Amino acid sequence: VGSCVAMELAIDEDTTLTPGTYCGGISITGTSKVTLQPGVYVIKDGPLTVADEASLSGEHVGFYLTGAGSVFSFAADTSISLGAPSDGPLAGLLVMEDANVNDMRVHQIRSNDARKLLGTIYLPKSILQIAANAPVADQSAYTAIVTMRLWLQEGPTLILNSNYSATDVPVPSAITGGRVVLTK
């Protein structure tokens, strides 16, 4: 996980972030445009929140959520465009929760502009709630979701593309060559 590069980071301006451990989480508000440099972003003991009309974008980025309160939430009027790393410890993983999570957490995608979520969202002990009025992940070559529960609320359109050859982001071997399914 490494030492903290920031504590309870609150962003309300355009900025670029570098990979590292963000203790207490990251809050992006207002009309901020936040660009992520490629790499792994550890969100420790706090949430990753994008609110108001803020935007978050990055290519070859992965989020590792660890500690108390480490969830993500993308509000309705935000813009989210993210692609997972093509190599390194989180290759192919856009979001991964700590394996030691012992409580069911709720992660939210309410953004009406979360059209690119390229990679695997791995939340096997948590809930992923999608409540957007516009298509989610439809501009991704592929999106894979592993979650304890998937809540689709307010009539969202979740697109799980499987055009694996259209990206350099690796696909988990368990899902290549198969069909897309919902399973218990």
Side-chain angles (χ1 to χ4, degrees), residues 4 17 24 39 76 99 113 134 167 176:
C4 303
L17 295 180
D113 188 11
T167 180
T176 57

Side-chain angles (χ1 to χ4, degrees), residues 36-119:
L36 303 173
Q37 293 290 327
V40 175
Y41 292 78
V42 177
I43 308 299
K44 181 180 179 187
D45 296 326
L48 169 62
T49 304
V50 185
D52 303 326
E53 296 177 5
S55 69
L56 178 64
S57 64
E59 293 297 322
H60 301 289
V61 298
F63 295 95
Y64 179 68
L65 308 174
T66 186
S70 58
V71 298
F72 68 86
S73 176
F74 304 146
D77 294 326
T78 63
S79 178
I80 309 296
S81 180
L82 300 168
S86 57
D87 57 18
L90 290 187
L93 293 169
L94 183 58
V95 179
M96 178 182 176
E97 73 181 357
D98 188 328
N100 296 316
V101 167
N102 56 14
D103 58 335
M104 189 175 293
R105 298 167 183 204
V106 179
H107 305 271
Q108 298 179 328
I109 300 173
R110 294 181 170 276
S111 175
N112 291 314
D113 188 11
R115 314 267 324 259
K116 182 177 180 187
L117 298 172
L118 172 60

Side-chain angles (χ1 to χ4, degrees), residues 86-172:
S86 57
D87 57 18
L90 290 187
L93 293 169
L94 183 58
V95 179
M96 178 182 176
E97 73 181 357
D98 188 328
N100 296 316
V101 167
N102 56 14
D103 58 335
M104 189 175 293
R105 298 167 183 204
V106 179
H107 305 271
Q108 298 179 328
I109 300 173
R110 294 181 170 276
S111 175
N112 291 314
D113 188 11
R115 314 267 324 259
K116 182 177 180 187
L117 298 172
L118 172 60
T120 300
I121 299 171
Y122 187 75
L123 308 166
K125 296 182 179 180
S126 294
I127 297 167
L128 177 59
Q129 178 189 50
I130 299 176
N133 295 321
V136 174
D138 65 314
Q139 295 178 359
S140 306
Y142 85 88
T143 303
I145 298 173
V146 177
T147 185
M148 176 68 76
R149 292 189 183 141
L150 179 61
W151 287 351
L152 301 176
Q153 297 178 322
E154 300 177 26
T157 301
L158 172 62
I159 308 294
L160 299 177
N161 290 323
S162 58
N163 190 2
Y164 306 128
S165 63
T167 180
D168 65 344
V169 174
V171 182

